[in-house]
Amino acid sequence: MKKIALITLIVIFHFQMFSQATRWKRMRYELIGAVGVSNFFGDLGGGGDTKSKLGRFVGDVDLQSTRPSFMCGMRYKLSPDFNLKFSLTYGFLQGADKNSSTEARQLRNLSFYTHIFEQALVGEYNIIKESNSRRWSQRRKRKVRSYSINLYVFGGVGGFYFDPRATYNGKTYRLRTLGTEGQTVSGSGVKKYIPYSLCVPGGLGVKIGLNKYWDFGIEYGYRWTATDYIDDTHGNYYDHAAIIEANGGAKSEQGNAAGWFADKHL
């Protein structure tokens, strides 16, 4: 299933860098810092209403797996209508079938977590443009207009690193190195996946100008990804005994862990 996504809800604080120009060009550069939350839509966890398009955005959310995310970046205003933004985002994702409302996923009983490191370049189109009138009077040393509101949509391209992990008997294992779908079994024909993938960010944001230097904003973002392995789950179960043997055999701790992660259905 390729429709895996990372959702971020970002609360953004903008610090503006002023350049010498007129009107909107005086606030052409912005530094951005943000704190938010992230959620995962994929094969593990969730399992609500996934038949409709609305269900993919709302019904499949696993609130118990919601985790924090952080972002920093810079925005450059190309014109009053269009902005260009570069961002670096760190997120923490997890999913667990035990939290799902779907019986089939509960019986499968898989779980994972991963850190996400994303780099993205997006374009923003201003539906409601930010006011270009002065916020601050240098002569009077005070604010000369009320708060400005900027509503925008955004979309672009990015890349991200991921490394799915899980815990067995109190020890954490990197699932990619174990090959839970036969990747480490000689002659299986299944290759290890690359822990870096492309993504397409898109979403909606609103920004409120507070004073001469500061803005406050909120964004809702969705990421379509080019990998199906964020949760280390892609295809069918592979030969259980072969996976155990490829990781040191049944007498080794890693072998038993690999077998457990490959198939622990109830």
Side-chain angles (χ1 to χ4, degrees):
M1 183 172 64
K2 295 287 185 179
K3 296 181 180 179
I4 296 179
L6 160 67
I7 287 186
T8 57
L9 178 62
I10 299 289
V11 179
I12 301 175
F13 297 91
H14 304 265
F15 181 77
Q16 301 184 342
M17 300 170 60
F18 291 85
S19 61
Q20 295 298 317
T22 59
R23 296 187 178 181
W24 64 272
K25 291 184 179 180
R26 293 176 182 172
M27 297 176 288
R28 200 164 190 172
Y29 302 92
E30 294 179 4
L31 293 177
I32 303 170
V35 175
V37 296
S38 57
N39 212 301
F40 173 74
F41 286 175
D43 294 321
L44 269 62
D49 176 18
T50 58
K51 296 180 180 180
S52 67
K53 291 184 179 180
L54 180 62
R56 287 295 300 164
F57 283 88
V58 180
D60 202 34
V61 172
D62 179 7
L63 293 178
Q64 297 181 70
S65 295
T66 300
R67 290 297 181 268
S69 61
F70 306 90
M71 185 265 280
C72 65
M74 174 175 282
R75 174 181 286 116
Y76 177 74
K77 298 181 180 180
L78 298 172
S79 73
D81 295 309
F82 293 96
N83 306 322
L84 194 63
K85 181 176 71 178
F86 175 74
S87 63
L88 298 172
T89 302
Y90 164 75
F92 187 87
L93 297 179
Q94 74 172 37
D97 284 338
K98 66 180 182 180
N99 298 334
S100 175
S101 58
T102 302
E103 184 179 11
R105 294 192 182 187
Q106 292 176 359
L107 294 176
R108 184 178 56 184
N109 195 35
L110 293 177
S111 63
F112 87 103
Y113 74 87
T114 183
H115 303 278
I116 294 285
F117 299 93
E118 180 200 71
Q119 314 84 45
L121 182 66
V122 302
E124 300 174 341
Y125 174 71
N126 297 320
I127 300 173
I128 299 177
K129 291 186 289 186
E130 186 176 11
S131 173
N132 293 325
S133 62
R134 290 186 302 163
R135 295 185 188 179
W136 187 265
S137 170
Q138 292 291 348
R139 182 172 60 86
R140 298 179 182 180
K141 302 298 181 182
R142 66 178 179 87
K143 185 166 62 176
V144 294
R145 68 173 172 84
S146 59
Y147 302 127
S148 66
I149 296 179
N150 174 209
L151 177 67
Y152 58 92
V153 293
F154 64 89
V157 64
F160 67 98
Y161 171 81
F162 63 100
D163 185 18
R165 307 180 186 196
T167 302
Y168 175 74
N169 284 345
K171 185 177 179 179
T172 298
Y173 291 86
R174 302 172 67 182
L175 299 178
R176 179 175 175 270
T177 62
L178 299 180
T180 59
E181 293 187 350
Q183 294 96 332
T184 56
V185 177
S186 179
S188 68
V190 184
K191 297 181 179 180
K192 281 189 177 182
Y193 54 86
I194 299 173
Y196 190 89
S197 177
L198 297 177
C199 64
V200 179
L204 180 71
V206 62
K207 185 175 68 169
I208 301 174
L210 300 179
N211 57 34
K212 180 180 178 181
Y213 293 108
W214 293 94
D215 293 337
F216 171 82
I218 295 177
E219 282 186 2
Y220 176 85
Y222 194 94
R223 271 75 170 164
W224 291 267
T225 74
T227 181
D228 194 31
Y229 283 105
I230 294 177
D231 53 11
D232 191 62
T233 304
H234 173 69
N236 299 318
Y237 290 107
Y238 194 78
D239 184 270
H240 191 249
I243 292 176
I244 294 176
E245 188 63 29
N247 283 276
K251 294 184 179 181
S252 71
E253 184 179 10
Q254 181 167 311
N256 287 322
W260 171 254
F261 295 135
D263 183 4
K264 60 175 184 176
H265 69 271
L266 302 176

